[in-house]
Amino acid sequence: MTEVLTEPTPAHDAKRGAERPGSGRPMISAERIKRRVRELGREISDVYADIDTPLVMVVILKGATVFAADLLRSLSIPAELEFVRPTRHKSGAKKGGRLRLAHMVAGSLVGRHVLLVSDIVDSGITVNTVARRIGRLGPASLRMATLLDRKAHREVEVPIDFYGFAIPDRFVIGYGIDYAGLYRELPDLHSLK
Ligand code: IMP
Ligand code: MG
């Protein structure tokens, strides 16, 4: 006799997801994100169509990893990947503490065209700090792409060249973006109430 494999029933899944953030209606669906990221990929590929070295995507860990992986596959130009890892130093009197980079790009950026890739620009301090550090490494050009742009608490001006969505003043999770290290695996973007 053939064995019958059983799968969790929809009712079981619904119950399990009931208290879980991300089980409700998404703020931005995976389908919408996919379409927008494809458009961004085309836009970015157009802007860099004539460069004579591969683009260097510098991804800001950890939140931008999922976005960057999709964006990378939407490009029709050659691109390399580098990473930076900002961490908050909880010593300063200021809200989040001082920002330092626990990991800096591994390869040389001298004469290279660099695209900084972030998950969400809020106060602007993270991308601003990273951009200043990257700028000192002698790139031929430096542009910024962010999945989400939330202008409500901007403290420093940030020249964003490419953004996926402008969002209202809500904390978001999913699609790589976390709350206390969790919920990065959610395919949609949700606002956390
Ligand atoms: P900023 O330095 O104030 O611009 O904040 C940017 C960083 O804070 C992002 O790269 C995220 O890691 C984190 N962040 C800001 N807003 C949110 C949010 O709504 N959800 C999750 N992380 C956020
Ligand atoms: Mg975070």
Side-chain angles (χ1 to χ4, degrees):
M1 231 184 88
T2 52
E3 249 182 88
V4 180
L5 297 175
T6 58
E7 289 171 22
T9 62
H12 175 81
D13 274 350
K15 211 170 129 201
R16 268 203 324 168
E19 308 86 34
R20 188 172 153 73
S23 60
R25 208 170 86 80
M27 183 184 200
I28 304 172
S29 72
E31 204 42 57
R32 243 182 107 192
I33 298 170
K34 192 172 165 182
R35 278 199 302 273
R36 186 68 188 116
V37 172
R38 273 210 212 108
E39 283 172 8
L40 281 179
R42 276 195 291 271
E43 224 180 287
I44 290 167
S45 300
D46 281 350
V47 167
Y48 291 104
D50 295 326
I51 61 175
D52 48 16
T53 50
L55 175 68
V56 185
M57 271 179 50
V58 174
V59 182
I60 301 181
L61 295 173
K62 299 174 185 175
T65 50
V66 176
F67 171 47
D70 284 343
L71 187 62
L72 181 66
R73 287 174 290 180
S74 303
L75 296 177
S76 54
I77 53 165
E80 294 177 22
L81 264 189
E82 290 286 353
F83 298 93
V84 292
R85 170 86 168 108
T87 54
R88 288 277 184 190
H89 226 54
K90 301 274 178 191
S91 58
K94 260 193 79 185
K95 190 174 104 193
R98 234 177 81 84
L99 195 86
R100 54 173 218 100
L101 298 183
H103 173 79
M104 190 44 167
V105 294
S108 166
L109 295 182
V110 176
R112 303 299 301 272
H113 296 277
V114 174
L115 179 65
L116 203 58
V117 181
S118 94
D119 54 355
I120 170 164
V121 178
D122 186 28
S123 71
I125 290 168
T126 304
V127 283
N128 190 269
T129 305
V130 173
R132 272 191 285 118
R133 293 283 303 276
I134 297 287
R136 282 188 224 137
L137 301 178
S141 71
L142 177 57
R143 289 188 176 89
M144 286 191 216
T146 184
L147 177 67
L148 303 175
D149 180 4
R150 189 174 51 214
K151 288 199 161 65
H153 306 285
R154 197 61 44 88
E155 287 175 37
V156 290
E157 213 191 304
V158 178
I160 298 171
D161 300 278
F162 312 96
Y163 71 93
F165 305 94
I167 58 161
D169 189 10
R170 302 242 188 78
F171 194 86
V172 293
I173 51 163
Y175 194 67
I177 301 171
D178 75 306
Y179 168 66
L182 295 174
Y183 312 119
R184 296 189 200 273
E185 73 281 8
L186 299 175
D188 309 290
L189 282 159
H190 295 265
S191 71
L192 205 62
K193 276 143 259 163

Coordinates of all heavy atoms in Angstrom, one line a residue, residues 60-64 86 88 95 99 118-129 146 148 150 153-156 158 167-168 170-174 176-180 184 190 192, ligand 1:
I60 N 24.1 46.9 3.3 CA 24.1 47.2 4.7 C 23.4 46.1 5.5 O 22.2 45.8 5.3 CB 23.5 48.6 5.0 CG1 24.2 49.7 4.2 CG2 23.5 48.8 6.5 CD1 23.6 51.1 4.5
L61 N 24.3 45.3 6.2 CA 23.7 44.2 7.0 C 23.0 44.7 8.2 O 23.3 45.7 8.7 CB 24.9 43.3 7.4 CG 25.7 42.6 6.3 CD1 26.9 41.9 6.9 CD2 24.8 41.6 5.6
K62 N 22.0 43.9 8.7 CA 21.5 42.7 8.1 C 20.3 42.9 7.3 O 19.9 42.1 6.4 CB 21.2 41.6 9.2 CG 22.4 41.2 10.0 CD 21.8 40.3 11.2 CE 22.9 39.9 12.1 NZ 22.4 39.1 13.3
G63 N 19.6 44.0 7.6 CA 18.2 44.2 7.1 C 18.1 44.2 5.5 O 17.0 43.9 5.0
A64 N 19.1 44.6 4.8 CA 19.0 44.8 3.4 C 19.3 43.6 2.6 O 19.3 43.6 1.4 CB 19.9 46.0 2.9
P86 N 26.9 47.8 10.2 CA 26.8 48.9 11.3 C 26.3 48.3 12.6 O 25.4 47.5 12.6 CB 25.9 49.9 10.8 CG 25.4 49.4 9.5 CD 25.7 48.0 9.3
R88 N 25.2 49.6 16.8 CA 25.0 50.7 17.7 C 25.8 50.5 18.9 O 25.7 49.5 19.6 CB 23.5 50.9 18.0 CG 22.7 51.3 16.8 CD 22.7 52.8 16.8 NE 21.8 53.3 15.7 CZ 21.8 54.6 15.3 NH1 22.6 55.5 15.8 NH2 21.0 54.9 14.3
K95 N 19.9 58.9 21.7 CA 18.9 57.8 21.5 C 19.6 56.4 21.2 O 19.6 55.6 22.0 CB 17.9 58.2 20.5 CG 16.7 57.3 20.4 CD 15.7 57.8 19.4 CE 15.8 57.0 18.1 NZ 15.1 57.7 17.0
L99 N 27.2 55.0 16.2 CA 27.3 54.0 15.1 C 28.7 53.7 14.8 O 29.5 54.5 14.5 CB 26.5 54.5 13.9 CG 26.1 53.5 12.9 CD1 24.8 52.9 13.3 CD2 26.0 54.1 11.5
S118 N 20.3 49.8 1.2 CA 19.9 49.7 2.6 C 18.4 49.3 2.6 O 17.7 49.3 1.6 CB 20.0 51.1 3.3 OG 18.9 51.9 3.2
D119 N 18.0 48.9 3.8 CA 16.6 48.4 4.0 C 15.6 49.6 4.1 O 14.6 49.7 3.4 CB 16.4 47.4 5.1 CG 17.0 48.0 6.5 OD1 17.6 49.1 6.5 OD2 16.9 47.3 7.5
I120 N 16.0 50.4 5.1 CA 15.1 51.5 5.4 C 15.8 52.7 5.9 O 16.7 52.6 6.7 CB 14.0 51.1 6.4 CG1 13.2 52.3 6.9 CG2 14.5 50.3 7.6 CD1 11.9 51.8 7.6
V121 N 15.6 53.9 5.3 CA 16.2 55.1 5.8 C 15.2 55.8 6.7 O 14.1 56.2 6.2 CB 16.6 56.0 4.6 CG1 17.2 57.3 5.1 CG2 17.6 55.3 3.7
D122 N 15.6 56.0 7.9 CA 14.7 56.6 8.9 C 15.3 58.0 9.3 O 15.0 59.0 8.6 CB 14.6 55.7 10.1 CG 13.6 56.1 11.2 OD1 12.7 56.8 10.8 OD2 13.8 55.8 12.4
S123 N 16.1 58.1 10.4 CA 16.8 59.3 10.7 C 17.8 59.7 9.6 O 18.1 60.9 9.4 CB 17.5 59.2 12.0 OG 18.6 58.4 11.9
G124 N 18.3 58.7 8.9 CA 19.3 58.9 7.9 C 20.7 58.7 8.4 O 21.7 58.7 7.6
I125 N 20.8 58.5 9.7 CA 22.2 58.5 10.3 C 23.0 57.3 9.8 O 24.2 57.4 9.5 CB 22.1 58.5 11.8 CG1 21.6 59.9 12.3 CG2 23.4 58.2 12.5 CD1 21.2 60.1 13.7
T126 N 22.3 56.1 9.7 CA 23.0 54.9 9.3 C 23.6 55.0 7.9 O 24.8 54.9 7.7 CB 22.1 53.7 9.3 OG1 21.5 53.5 10.7 CG2 22.8 52.4 9.0
V127 N 22.8 55.3 6.9 CA 23.3 55.4 5.5 C 24.3 56.6 5.4 O 25.2 56.5 4.7 CB 22.2 55.6 4.5 CG1 21.5 54.2 4.2 CG2 21.2 56.6 4.8
N128 N 24.0 57.7 6.1 CA 24.9 58.8 6.1 C 26.3 58.5 6.6 O 27.3 58.8 5.9 CB 24.3 60.0 6.9 CG 25.0 61.3 6.7 OD1 25.9 61.6 7.4 ND2 24.6 62.0 5.6
T129 N 26.3 57.8 7.7 CA 27.6 57.4 8.3 C 28.3 56.4 7.4 O 29.5 56.6 7.1 CB 27.4 56.7 9.7 OG1 26.6 57.6 10.5 CG2 28.7 56.4 10.3
T146 N 17.5 52.4 -1.4 CA 16.8 51.9 -0.2 C 15.5 51.3 -0.6 O 14.8 51.9 -1.5 CB 16.7 53.0 0.9 OG1 16.2 52.3 2.1 CG2 15.7 54.1 0.5
L148 N 12.9 51.1 1.6 CA 11.9 52.0 2.2 C 12.5 53.3 2.6 O 13.6 53.4 3.1 CB 11.3 51.3 3.4 CG 10.7 49.9 3.2 CD1 10.3 49.3 4.5 CD2 9.5 50.0 2.3
R150 N 11.4 56.4 5.0 CA 10.4 57.0 5.9 C 10.9 58.3 6.4 O 11.9 58.4 7.2 CB 10.3 56.0 7.1 CG 9.1 56.5 8.0 CD 8.8 55.5 9.1 NE 10.1 55.2 9.8 CZ 10.4 53.9 10.3 NH1 9.5 53.0 10.2 NH2 11.5 53.8 11.0
H153 N 11.1 61.0 10.6 CA 12.1 61.3 11.6 C 13.5 61.6 11.0 O 14.5 61.4 11.7 CB 12.2 60.2 12.6 CG 10.9 59.8 13.2 ND1 10.3 60.5 14.2 CD2 10.1 58.7 12.9 CE1 9.2 59.9 14.5 NE2 9.0 58.8 13.7
R154 N 13.5 62.2 9.8 CA 14.8 62.4 9.2 C 15.6 63.5 10.0 O 15.1 64.5 10.3 CB 14.6 62.9 7.7 CG 15.8 62.9 6.8 CD 16.4 61.5 6.6 NE 15.4 60.4 6.4 CZ 14.9 60.1 5.2 NH1 15.3 60.7 4.1 NH2 14.0 59.1 5.1
E155 N 16.9 63.1 10.3 CA 17.7 64.1 11.1 C 18.8 64.6 10.3 O 19.3 65.7 10.5 CB 18.3 63.4 12.3 CG 17.3 63.1 13.4 CD 17.9 62.3 14.6 OE1 19.1 62.5 14.9 OE2 17.2 61.4 15.1
V156 N 19.3 63.8 9.3 CA 20.4 64.3 8.4 C 19.9 64.1 7.0 O 19.2 63.1 6.7 CB 21.7 63.5 8.6 CG1 22.3 63.9 9.9 CG2 21.5 62.0 8.5
V158 N 19.8 63.0 3.3 CA 20.4 61.9 2.6 C 19.9 61.9 1.2 O 18.7 61.9 0.9 CB 19.9 60.5 3.3 CG1 20.5 59.4 2.5 CG2 20.3 60.5 4.7
I167 N 7.2 55.3 2.9 CA 6.2 54.8 3.9 C 5.8 55.8 5.0 O 6.7 56.6 5.4 CB 6.6 53.4 4.5 CG1 8.0 53.6 5.2 CG2 6.7 52.4 3.4 CD1 8.3 52.5 6.2
P168 N 4.6 55.6 5.6 CA 4.3 56.5 6.7 C 5.0 56.1 8.0 O 5.8 55.2 8.0 CB 2.8 56.2 6.9 CG 2.5 54.9 6.3 CD 3.6 54.7 5.2
R170 N 5.4 54.3 10.6 CA 5.1 53.0 11.3 C 6.3 52.2 11.3 O 7.1 52.2 10.4 CB 4.0 52.3 10.5 CG 2.7 53.0 10.3 CD 1.5 52.3 11.0 NE 0.3 52.9 10.7 CZ -0.3 52.7 9.5 NH1 0.2 51.9 8.6 NH2 -1.4 53.3 9.3
F171 N 6.5 51.4 12.4 CA 7.6 50.4 12.4 C 7.2 49.2 11.5 O 6.1 48.7 11.6 CB 7.8 50.0 13.9 CG 9.1 49.3 14.1 CD1 10.2 50.0 14.4 CD2 9.2 47.9 14.0 CE1 11.4 49.3 14.5 CE2 10.4 47.2 14.1 CZ 11.5 48.0 14.4
V172 N 8.2 48.8 10.7 CA 7.9 47.7 9.8 C 8.8 46.5 10.0 O 9.9 46.6 10.5 CB 8.0 48.2 8.3 CG1 7.0 49.2 7.9 CG2 9.4 48.7 8.0
I173 N 8.2 45.4 9.6 CA 8.9 44.1 9.7 C 8.7 43.3 8.5 O 7.7 43.6 7.7 CB 8.5 43.3 10.9 CG1 7.0 43.1 11.0 CG2 9.0 43.8 12.2 CD1 6.5 42.0 11.8
G174 N 9.5 42.3 8.2 CA 9.4 41.4 7.1 C 10.3 41.7 6.0 O 11.0 42.8 5.9
G176 N 13.2 40.7 5.3 CA 14.6 41.0 5.8 C 14.7 41.9 6.9 O 15.7 42.0 7.6
I177 N 13.6 42.7 7.2 CA 13.6 43.7 8.2 C 13.1 43.1 9.5 O 12.0 42.5 9.5 CB 12.8 44.9 7.7 CG1 13.4 45.5 6.4 CG2 12.7 46.0 8.8 CD1 12.5 46.6 5.8
D178 N 13.8 43.4 10.6 CA 13.5 42.7 11.9 C 12.9 43.6 12.9 O 13.0 44.9 12.9 CB 14.8 42.2 12.4 CG 15.7 43.2 13.0 OD1 16.0 44.2 12.3 OD2 16.1 43.1 14.2
Y179 N 12.3 42.9 13.9 CA 12.1 43.6 15.2 C 12.8 42.6 16.2 O 12.5 41.5 16.3 CB 10.6 43.7 15.6 CG 10.4 44.0 17.0 CD1 10.8 45.3 17.5 CD2 9.8 43.1 17.9 CE1 10.6 45.6 18.8 CE2 9.6 43.5 19.2 CZ 10.0 44.7 19.7 OH 9.8 45.0 21.0
A180 N 13.8 43.1 17.0 CA 14.6 42.3 17.9 C 15.1 41.0 17.3 O 15.1 40.0 17.9 CB 13.7 42.0 19.1
R184 N 12.3 38.4 10.0 CA 13.0 38.7 8.7 C 12.5 37.8 7.6 O 12.5 38.1 6.4 CB 14.5 38.5 8.8 CG 15.2 39.5 9.8 CD 16.7 39.4 9.6 NE 17.4 39.9 10.8 CZ 17.8 41.2 10.9 NH1 17.5 42.1 10.0 NH2 18.5 41.6 12.0
H190 N 5.1 44.2 6.8 CA 4.0 44.5 7.7 C 4.3 45.6 8.6 O 5.5 45.8 9.0 CB 3.7 43.2 8.6 CG 3.2 42.0 7.8 ND1 1.9 41.7 7.7 CD2 3.9 41.1 7.2 CE1 1.8 40.6 6.9 NE2 3.0 40.2 6.6
L192 N 4.1 46.9 12.4 CA 4.0 46.3 13.8 C 3.2 47.3 14.6 O 3.6 48.4 14.8 CB 5.4 46.1 14.3 CG 5.6 45.0 15.4 CD1 5.2 43.6 14.8 CD2 7.0 45.0 15.9
Ligands
IMP1 P1 18.4 55.4 10.7 O1 19.8 55.3 11.0 O2 17.6 56.1 11.7 O3 18.1 55.9 9.3 O4 17.8 53.9 10.8 C1 18.0 53.0 9.8 C2 18.2 51.6 10.4 O5 17.3 51.4 11.6 C3 17.7 50.6 9.4 O6 18.8 50.1 8.6 C4 17.1 49.5 10.3 O7 18.1 48.6 10.6 C5 16.6 50.2 11.5 N1 15.2 50.6 11.4 C6 14.6 51.8 11.2 N2 13.3 51.8 11.1 C7 13.0 50.5 11.2 C8 11.7 49.8 11.2 O8 10.6 50.3 11.0 N3 11.8 48.4 11.3 C9 12.9 47.8 11.5 N4 14.1 48.4 11.5 C10 14.2 49.7 11.4

